[in-house]
Amino acid sequence: MSHGIKHVAIIMDGNGRWANQRLRPRVWGHVRGSTVVSDIVQAADDLGVEALTLYAFSTENWSRPSQEVGALFRLLHKFLLKERKRLLANKVSFRVIGNTTRLPQDTKDLIAKLETETKDFAGLKLTFCFSYGGRMELVHAMNSFITANPGKEITEEDVQDHLMRPETGDVDLLIRTGGEQRVSNFLLWQIAYAELCFTPTKWPDFTARELKRIVESVSKRERRFGGLPAAADKNLPRPEVQSIHVQ
Ligand code: FPP
């Protein structure tokens, strides 16, 4: 697609506040939030995005009340059951990254099954970050490299290759809903050159239309990756090119 945004990552924030504003328990916001996840996966696919990475549960979220943590686990389980057919039909390649050891066994089984079924699909690369932290992923990458290559100096390419899902590549656009302007330990390596978009919209109110609007507006920004603007030296005289004769 012409917008050039290949990898979108989203921090889905604001569920709790959205529910509290409506005098409902925080979990109610997560329930609404999970229906938005389904819509946004479809919308990203429709927009021709190649990879969508969603922050579903951070390593810091373990400090929340166990009732809320349990509800988030159940929502993940329900999502997998509900969306399986659609993911398969749309050839979505699904992965969960993070430390899933504390998830219930039946959820781990569902994840493993879906990951196996979809691993060779060429469609949208959908990644859920669950019990995930960016620093944790970097430590994992480095340890995995060191174990395989004892004594060898590590390069940027090596770190990239040992990330939890290296094939999704760098993030082009990082969106955070809910009004906060923080990165919160999300995909620290992958967002090095990402365009950042912070929207006040709380996640349960986020829509396919807002995603499209953000992608369109960000695709108009000039991304320089540390270089100069494309037109920077157009009006400057060109330096004389001297030919050097080597005797
Ligand atoms: C942040 O909102 C959101 C989370 C901690 C979890 C994100 C989870 C979902 C969107 C629903 C789960 C769905 C699936 C499919 C796994 P917050 O609770 O921190 O909101 P607040 O900042 O208003 O308190």
Side-chain angles (χ1 to χ4, degrees):
M1 269 220 171
S2 59
H3 54 67
I5 307 284
K6 291 185 185 160
H7 184 179
V8 176
I10 310 183
I11 302 175
M12 308 179 288
D13 198 15
N15 292 343
R17 279 167 288 155
W18 184 89
N20 287 162
Q21 279 172 348
R22 287 155 182 81
L23 308 178
R24 299 286 191 130
R26 296 175 52 80
V27 167
W28 200 65
H30 295 316
V31 173
R32 271 302 267 272
S34 70
T35 67
V36 175
V37 174
S38 306
D39 295 347
I40 295 304
V41 170
Q42 185 64 52
D45 208 4
D46 294 345
L47 279 168
V49 162
E50 289 175 17
L52 176 68
T53 305
L54 301 174
Y55 210 176
F57 191 90
S58 71
T59 43
E60 291 74 26
N61 289 151
W62 285 108
S63 63
R64 296 199 175 191
S66 58
Q67 188 222 14
E68 186 173 339
V69 171
L72 287 166
F73 283 9
R74 284 191 294 281
L75 284 172
L76 173 65
H77 193 92
K78 275 191 181 168
F79 177 92
L80 299 173
L81 288 176
K82 186 166 86 68
E83 295 296 323
R84 185 173 162 271
K85 268 199 184 147
R86 190 149 64 120
L87 297 177
L88 293 176
N90 290 343
K91 300 281 179 236
V92 171
S93 165
F94 177 77
R95 283 279 298 280
V96 175
I97 63 169
N99 181 357
T100 54
T101 46
R102 284 165 76 182
L103 280 172
Q105 191 55 48
D106 56 348
T107 308
K108 284 196 273 195
D109 293 344
L110 261 184
I111 292 170
K113 187 164 174 258
L114 196 53
E115 286 184 341
T116 309
E117 285 174 321
T118 66
K119 76 177 165 37
D120 296 323
F121 283 170
L124 176 74
K125 294 180 184 69
L126 174 63
T127 309
F128 276 11
C129 300
F130 210 89
S131 188
Y132 170 91
R135 288 182 177 177
M136 179 196 87
E137 183 180 23
L138 284 173
V139 171
H140 158 89
M142 290 173 206
N143 279 330
S144 136
F145 173 82
I146 291 165
T147 308
N149 305 277
K152 199 174 161 234
E153 204 168 291
I154 191 164
T155 65
E156 287 193 13
E157 287 72 28
D158 296 327
V159 176
Q160 169 63 35
D161 291 347
H162 287 80
L163 294 174
M164 289 171 164
R165 198 174 187 191
E167 70 275 19
T168 52
D170 278 353
V171 170
D172 297 299
L173 167 62
L174 171 66
I175 300 171
R176 182 178 186 137
T177 63
E180 308 287 356
Q181 304 198 0
R182 283 191 290 275
V183 166
S184 297
N185 201 16
F186 188 39
L187 303 174
L188 296 178
W189 182 270
Q190 299 89 327
I191 61 169
Y193 288 99
E195 295 291 329
L196 307 180
C197 174
F198 301 102
T199 169
T201 308
K202 295 181 183 67
W203 180 252
D205 285 332
F206 194 69
T207 57
R209 181 198 271 230
E210 182 164 2
L211 175 68
K212 188 162 183 271
R213 195 179 51 71
I214 292 171
V215 166
E216 278 167 3
S217 108
V218 165
S219 68
K220 293 191 187 107
R221 295 184 196 169
E222 188 184 14
R223 302 180 71 202
R224 298 201 293 273
F225 302 97
L228 291 173
D233 63 354
K234 273 210 176 121
N235 300 320
L236 294 176
R238 292 208 159 266
E240 290 285 309
V241 178
Q242 293 180 343
S243 51
I244 300 168
H245 298 283
V246 179
Q247 299 293 319

